[in-house]
Amino acid sequence: MPFSNLTVESSARILESLQNPVIVISAGGELSYANAAAAAHLGGWIVGLSLQDIFPDVLHSSLNADGPSSIRLMTRQGEAFEALANPLGGGSMCISLWPGVSTPEPSSPTQQDDLTGLALRKPFMATLEAAVSQPRPELSRVAVLCLDLDRFKMINDTLGHGIGDQLLKKVADRLRTACRKEDMIARLGGDEFVILQKSVGGAEDAEKLAERLVDLVGRTYVLSGHTINVGVSIGVAIGNGSVQPRDLLRNADLALYEAKRAGRGRFRFFESGMDAQLHERRELEIDLRRALALKQFQLAYQPFVDLETDKVMGFEALLRWNHPTRGNVPPLNFIGVAEENGLIIKIGEWVLTTACMEAASWPGDLVVAVNVSPLQFKADTLLEKVSSALARSGLAPERLELEITESALLADTDNVLATLHALRTLGVKISMDDFGTGYSSLSYLQKFPFNKIKIDRSFVSGGDADSEAILRAVSGLGSNLGMAITAEGVETADQLQRIRDQRCTHVQGYLTGRPMAQNQVADFLSRQI
């Protein structure tokens, strides 16, 4: 049966169970999906890369959009694949790969990366196999360290590929400085590197090298007049002849994923449970895509109240996922995954449109507040999507409030501020969420006139002198700047009284109203009169 005729559920399950790599290419030429076999053969973190990032000699536009086509693909590292490309409609393609295809050897095969002079994947794997095959146990014990630069894509996008290439060369030089002569360093592609540390005495040897690399790679670079800071995340796996070389590399890649998930700029050793964690994450990714396609998401609405009039001024839209077998999945369990794989952009668009459509039926001028992900700003379509949602729903712009966190301003402040000003010109309200938990909140208040500041619930529930001082300072600041101040997470009468005493203007929490379904809003409002 053609892939395009399968259901979302059956196709996802089948693809994950296949032994051969399968990737899906979007109409724009980017990898939108890779099954477990593809991640193992082509390396982790390939979703989001372009087709040419992995197979430089193939253009997406050259694939046959009218039917299946057989093609031959070659990675940057020299691995050859026979492939069958099937159109999925809308310009996207499902490509099945068969690795290990024999290819004619060039007259002088390259063993080194042209840019950095480091080894390529093929000689690295050959050296790794020879190292773990040493007859003496003390010689066969090796460490594999997978490295991935943090924020490299942002540097490439903002300063250009020329600066990016210079940075990769400098990083390669620092890796050579940190390693012993007998160790082997390879570049697997892009900003991915791998190190083979031979004849390690124990985990402490690999730990010392990983610590040295995090420090050394993370030091400032000066390139063509630009001061650049980039970090590195590292996954470490230790093995000997009892572990297959490909499995050892895969284990280090799993540990790298955990290092990135833990906050980047650090290293993690492989642990046996990581394999199960990765499988669970892949299952969650599949279920998230299915949830969006099958409309398994719903919105709940939590009221916020004006403390001067004790009247409901509006509701915050909160995302809910009722999975058929997992049950109600808390947002904390899936939002992070959606952010990592970019699916949060589509989910955010659905939330925005649905919230506007449902709020249009509310009486009077009640406001609906919608959270916006930093990735929605990076997609450069937020203004367009907001305008479209307002036009489709007929909701007045002043009844929509977009809530952003400080992290949205960190990556590309100028572009984000330009988008925020355009939204304000449209008539939309803008609030800063989780105020007080970031690093530069006060500076952002100078750069953009927010309509509202939302004080993080941790300062409301604290009850200590420091929390009281922060509440008092923020409420006074908001009053002087003409901004409304909402205190989140109010659950008791004592907390509400403290909020009133500190001159906050609005309150939101279980005490004044729990999250409710759209069909419960009218009844809730009738009981407030």
Side-chain angles (χ1 to χ4, degrees):
M1 179 184 292
F3 176 75
S4 56
N5 292 337
L6 294 171
T7 64
V8 173
E9 180 174 357
S10 61
S11 62
R13 298 293 182 193
I14 291 171
L15 292 179
E16 282 301 309
S17 66
L18 293 177
Q19 296 299 308
N20 65 292
V22 178
I23 57 177
V24 175
I25 309 296
S26 70
E30 293 182 342
L31 272 74
S32 58
Y33 170 81
N35 70 352
H41 279 85
L42 301 174
W45 302 87
I46 59 175
V47 172
L49 296 179
S50 72
L51 181 63
Q52 283 188 283
D53 285 335
I54 301 173
F55 305 110
D57 297 328
V58 177
L59 290 173
H60 178 256
S61 57
S62 67
L63 301 179
N64 184 8
D66 297 324
S69 55
S70 296
I71 53 176
R72 194 178 186 85
L73 300 174
M74 181 80 73
T75 68
R76 292 182 183 276
Q77 290 74 41
E79 279 195 88
F81 294 85
E82 291 288 352
L84 180 65
N86 282 285
L88 300 179
S92 59
M93 286 274 177
C94 177
I95 302 179
S96 300
L97 304 165
W98 285 269
V101 179
S102 59
T103 55
E105 289 291 334
S107 56
S108 55
T110 178
Q111 299 290 304
Q112 292 184 327
D113 173 48
D114 291 338
L115 179 65
T116 63
L118 299 177
L120 296 173
R121 180 189 291 265
K122 197 170 183 178
F124 177 85
M125 293 303 295
T127 304
L128 174 58
E129 185 168 358
V132 298
S133 301
Q134 292 285 339
R136 292 167 56 187
E138 69 273 16
L139 296 179
S140 69
R141 187 175 177 84
V142 301
V144 173
L145 294 85
C146 282
L147 296 81
D148 194 276
L149 300 184
D150 304 326
R151 301 181 300 278
F152 177 74
K153 185 177 185 301
M154 184 177 72
I155 292 168
N156 245 356
D157 292 344
T158 56
L159 299 179
H161 290 275
I163 296 295
D165 286 349
Q166 289 184 48
L167 177 60
L168 291 173
K169 291 179 182 178
K170 290 293 184 183
V171 168
D173 290 341
R174 293 188 184 185
L175 296 183
R176 292 187 184 95
T177 301
C179 295
R180 303 169 302 176
K181 288 184 178 180
E182 61 265 33
D183 296 335
M184 187 176 194
I185 313 168
R187 182 184 175 212
L188 301 185
D191 61 333
E192 295 179 66
F193 299 87
V194 62
I195 295 172
L196 169 60
Q197 192 180 17
K198 299 179 181 179
S199 305
V200 295
E204 61 274 9
D205 290 344
E207 183 175 358
K208 288 177 182 177
L209 177 58
E211 287 177 342
R212 189 158 64 249
L213 291 169
V214 169
D215 172 62
L216 196 59
V217 176
R219 295 179 186 178
T220 301
Y221 301 80
V222 179
L223 303 171
S224 299
H226 298 282
T227 300
I228 296 172
N229 290 292
V230 64
V232 65
S233 298
I234 304 174
V236 186
I238 297 178
N240 50 30
S242 63
V243 183
Q244 291 297 315
R246 185 175 292 278
D247 291 336
L248 195 55
L249 184 62
R250 179 175 173 272
N251 290 347
D253 200 48
L254 288 172
L256 171 62
Y257 167 72
E258 288 300 317
K260 282 180 169 292
R261 200 171 69 127
R264 303 174 186 264
R266 61 194 68 203
F267 63 90
R268 286 288 184 271
F269 276 82
F270 171 76
E271 299 173 4
S272 57
M274 288 180 179
D275 205 0
Q277 290 172 11
L278 182 64
H279 178 73
E280 169 61 22
R281 182 184 182 277
R282 291 190 183 280
E283 290 289 313
L284 187 60
E285 283 187 5
I286 294 169
D287 285 351
L288 271 173
R289 295 182 188 280
R290 185 186 305 118
L292 191 59
L294 301 182
K295 297 180 171 59
Q296 292 176 353
F297 293 120
Q298 299 92 35
L299 293 182
Y301 296 95
Q302 185 172 33
F304 48 88
V305 176
D306 187 319
L307 287 175
E308 185 175 348
T309 63
D310 287 331
K311 289 184 177 181
V312 175
M313 302 304 294
F315 296 81
E316 179 182 359
L318 303 171
L319 185 62
R320 296 291 183 261
W321 180 15
N322 187 15
H323 189 274
T325 58
R326 296 175 186 264
N328 289 317
V329 185
L332 284 176
N333 289 7
F334 68 86
I335 291 295
V337 174
E339 291 272 2
E340 288 176 17
N341 64 20
L343 196 60
I344 194 67
I345 296 174
K346 292 292 184 184
I347 294 175
E349 291 172 7
W350 178 87
V351 171
L352 178 64
T353 301
T354 304
C356 287
M357 297 290 287
E358 294 184 342
S361 66
W362 298 345
D365 55 358
L366 288 172
V367 171
V368 62
V370 177
N371 291 277
V372 178
S373 162
L375 288 185
Q376 288 175 267
F377 282 96
K378 291 184 70 174
D380 289 331
T381 58
L382 183 59
L383 182 61
E384 173 192 339
K385 298 301 180 183
V386 169
S387 300
S388 174
L390 291 173
R392 286 183 58 188
S393 64
L395 187 74
E398 60 270 15
R399 292 183 58 192
L400 175 62
E401 181 177 294
L402 299 181
E403 297 187 0
I404 72 168
T405 58
E406 184 180 329
S407 56
L409 291 151
L410 289 176
D412 194 358
T413 304
D414 291 339
N415 283 344
V416 172
L417 289 175
T419 301
L420 291 177
H421 280 292
L423 290 167
R424 280 288 295 270
T425 301
L426 196 64
V428 174
K429 295 181 173 68
I430 309 292
S431 69
M432 179 179 275
D433 200 8
D434 298 334
F435 186 84
T437 59
Y439 298 100
S440 309
S441 299
L442 291 178
S443 68
Y444 294 134
L445 295 185
Q446 287 181 312
K447 294 176 181 178
F448 184 80
F450 290 90
N451 296 95
K452 181 189 291 184
I453 300 171
K454 298 188 74 173
I455 303 177
D456 187 70
R457 64 183 64 243
S458 61
F459 301 116
V460 174
S461 60
D464 54 81
D466 289 343
S467 296
E468 292 291 319
I470 291 172
L471 281 173
R472 185 163 52 252
V474 174
S475 60
L477 179 65
S479 176
N480 292 332
L481 293 175
M483 300 177 185
I485 305 294
T486 296
E488 294 185 286
V490 177
E491 299 181 354
T492 68
D494 287 343
Q495 289 175 351
L496 178 60
Q497 187 56 53
R498 283 174 37 228
I499 295 304
R500 289 186 184 276
D501 292 342
Q502 300 301 340
R503 296 188 302 161
C504 292
T505 59
H506 296 79
V507 65
Q508 181 178 337
Y510 280 6
L511 183 66
T512 52
R514 290 175 175 266
M516 65 195 75
Q518 161 70 0
N519 59 13
Q520 297 174 306
V521 170
D523 181 59
F524 174 82
L525 291 172
S526 67
R527 289 184 276 111
Q528 303 305 305
I529 300 175

